[in-house]
Amino acid sequence: MKKWLSYALVVGMVLLLTACNTKEDENESSSEPTEPVQEKNDENKVDYELLLHLDTIPPEVGTSISIVQDEKLYTTWADIFGFESVPSVDFETEEVLFVTGYSDGCGREIEKIEKDGDTLVITLNYPEDLRSEEDIACTEIALDNTYVVKMKKTNTTKGKLIDINRTIYEEDKTVQEKLQ
């Protein structure tokens, strides 16, 4: 009986060690990103400059994504949003993205802007100093947010606005706007 129990313990330990080593090997191989995925992310990334982050949204605008490629339209939007001064933009090579939405009491900032085919994907996240906290407690109060972003021309025709909770505010929204 003692030999059988000893034998069972040894076999059990060998199986346990084998299973642990196999699991570690699986984790090691799956945690390494492949080159094409990394290249695709870099290729789709849109470099941008945040011109303004306003805590107001004009009532006639609501939650929206709008790319402005025309100086006249840009100054019209600047008037609607009440800019104190209008940042300069070279509309030959650049465009301006207006993103409006609401957040809880912690606020939101643009985490990233990416191109997915003809769609511009804007992801909002908590401010960077809050992202590392395990439990983020925010008030339920809806706060207005307007982001005015300058970027190189993207040639996108649709937009998607996503917040940290992966709530999609706008999807397949037409974003190109130009005065005739």
Side-chain angles (χ1 to χ4, degrees), residues 27-138:
N27 286 340
E28 285 176 15
S29 65
S30 66
S31 67
E32 295 177 20
T34 59
E35 285 301 316
V37 171
Q38 186 64 27
E39 288 174 15
K40 183 178 178 188
N41 287 339
D42 288 343
E43 183 180 297
N44 293 338
K45 182 181 174 189
V46 174
D47 291 325
Y48 64 91
E49 176 187 347
L50 181 66
L51 297 176
L52 298 166
H53 182 187
L54 308 170
D55 60 0
T56 60
I57 299 174
E60 59 271 27
V61 176
T63 300
S64 68
I65 307 165
S66 297
I67 292 181
V68 176
Q69 298 178 325
D70 179 87
E71 188 167 3
K72 188 174 179 181
L73 182 59
Y74 176 54
T75 55
T76 300
W77 277 75
D79 287 342
I80 292 170
F81 282 87
F83 290 7
E84 289 182 21
S85 65
V86 180
S88 64
V89 175
D90 175 10
F91 285 99
E92 292 293 318
T93 59
E94 300 172 322
E95 56 195 14
V96 177
L97 171 67
F98 283 79
V99 177
T100 58
Y102 300 92
S103 67
D104 55 31
C106 289
R108 296 288 187 274
E109 62 185 30
I110 295 177
E111 178 181 6
K112 61 185 172 182
I113 300 175
E114 296 176 306
K115 279 180 63 169
D116 183 10
D118 67 344
T119 302
L120 193 64
V121 181
I122 302 101
T123 305
L124 303 178
N125 200 344
Y126 294 114
E128 254 187 84
D129 59 334
L130 295 179
R131 292 181 199 172
S132 61
E133 294 183 22
E134 287 182 28
D135 291 327
I136 299 175
C138 303

Side-chain angles (χ1 to χ4, degrees), residues 3-4 17-18 34 39 41 49 76 80 87 97 100-101 119 128 139-140 152 156 158 162 168 174 177 179-180:
K3 282 185 179 181
W4 182 82
L17 288 173
T18 303
T34 59
E39 288 174 15
N41 287 339
E49 176 187 347
T76 300
I80 292 170
L97 171 67
T100 58
T119 302
E128 254 187 84
T139 62
E140 299 276 330
K152 298 285 183 203
T156 53
K158 296 183 175 31
I162 306 171
I168 298 174
T174 301
E177 294 193 26
L179 285 179
Q180 301 302 334

Side-chain angles (χ1 to χ4, degrees), residues 148-162:
V148 182
V149 174
K150 178 170 69 171
M151 58 194 175
K152 298 285 183 203
K153 289 195 182 276
T154 61
N155 299 316
T156 53
T157 58
K158 296 183 175 31
K160 183 188 286 189
L161 178 59
I162 306 171

